[in-house]
Amino acid sequence: MQEEQIEKFGNIRLKNEQLAKLEIDYWQNFSSLGTWQFWVVVVMIIVPLVILFFAIDRQRALLLGFFGFNYHTWFSYTNTVGIKFGLWEYPYQIVPFLPSFALDAALVPIIFMLFYQWTINHHKNVYLYAILLSAILAFIMKPILVFFDFFHMFYWVNYFYLFLFYYLFFLVSIMITNLFLWLQTKA
C-alpha cells in the first residue's frame, strides 16, 4: 500500500476504535441491564423466538427458515448502512455494536416468517398480504418505537420509505426463496 493510503486507512481504524469506546460508554450509561429499555429489547428478541419455536410448521421449517434468514440479511445490511450514514438510529441495544439486533435478528424476520407460513397454509396471495404487513410494520410498529424513543429517523427518511424498505426486502427474499425452490425441482 502507498503511504497516503496507509495513513488514511489508519485514520479510519483509529476513528473506529474511538467510536467503539463511545458506543460502549453510551451503552453502559443509557442502555445496559439497569434500564427498562434494555429489558424491552430483550423481550423483542425472546418473545418472537419462543413464539416461532411453538408456531413454526416443522415440515416447512427449512423453507421458512431460509426465507426468514434471507429477510434478516437484507434488513440487517440496510439497517447497518442506514445507521452508518446517520439516516436512523436505535438508542437502546442488547449489546453495543449491534444497535438493531432485536429487530434485525428476531422481531421483524420472525413476523415475516410466520406471515409467509400463514399465506402458504391458507392459500393467500403472499404479495398482496405482504403489502398489508409492511404497512402495519411501517405505519403502526415504527411510530410506536419512535414514540418510546426506540427508533429515530433523520433527513429524508419517513414512514413511507420504511414501508417501501419492508416490502422491498420481502420481494427480494421471496424471489430468492422461489429461485432456490425452482432449482430444487430441477435437481
Side-chain angles (χ1 to χ4, degrees), residues 63 66 116 176-186:
L63 169 68
F66 182 81
Y116 183 41
I176 291 171
T177 301
N178 288 339
L179 172 65
F180 275 79
L181 286 171
W182 179 78
L183 290 171
Q184 185 178 9
T185 62
K186 297 297 177 191

Side-chain angles (χ1 to χ4, degrees), residues 77-94:
Y77 286 161
T78 303
N79 253 334
T80 299
V81 170
I83 291 166
K84 191 132 186 136
F85 281 96
L87 299 176
W88 53 77
E89 65 188 7
Y90 297 87
Y92 304 103
Q93 303 114 25
I94 189 117

Side-chain angles (χ1 to χ4, degrees), residues 67-109:
F67 170 78
F69 184 73
N70 229 299
Y71 196 95
H72 153 75
T73 301
W74 298 112
F75 191 57
S76 181
Y77 286 161
T78 303
N79 253 334
T80 299
V81 170
I83 291 166
K84 191 132 186 136
F85 281 96
L87 299 176
W88 53 77
E89 65 188 7
Y90 297 87
Y92 304 103
Q93 303 114 25
I94 189 117
V95 292
F97 315 116
L98 296 174
S100 60
F101 183 75
L103 295 178
D104 291 351
L107 185 64
V108 174

Side-chain angles (χ1 to χ4, degrees), residues 54-69:
F54 289 107
I56 195 166
D57 180 346
R58 292 193 176 10
Q59 292 188 337
R60 291 192 173 115
L62 192 59
L63 169 68
L64 297 168
F66 182 81
F67 170 78
F69 184 73

Side-chain angles (χ1 to χ4, degrees), residues 1-11:
M1 289 197 305
Q2 297 174 351
E3 191 172 323
E4 179 185 1
Q5 181 182 3
I6 292 169
E7 182 182 332
K8 286 192 181 210
F9 203 66
N11 192 25

Side-chain angles (χ1 to χ4, degrees), residues 16-66:
N16 280 331
E17 289 175 12
Q18 292 168 346
L19 180 60
K21 288 175 185 170
L22 278 172
E23 287 174 336
I24 291 170
D25 182 57
Y26 172 85
W27 183 83
Q28 289 172 334
N29 288 302
F30 304 106
S31 186
S32 61
L33 282 79
T35 65
W36 67 269
Q37 293 94 339
F38 173 86
W39 295 105
V40 170
V41 173
V42 169
V43 166
M44 286 194 294
I45 295 169
I46 293 176
V47 169
L49 289 170
V50 170
I51 291 170
L52 180 67
F53 180 79
F54 289 107
I56 195 166
D57 180 346
R58 292 193 176 10
Q59 292 188 337
R60 291 192 173 115
L62 192 59
L63 169 68
L64 297 168
F66 182 81

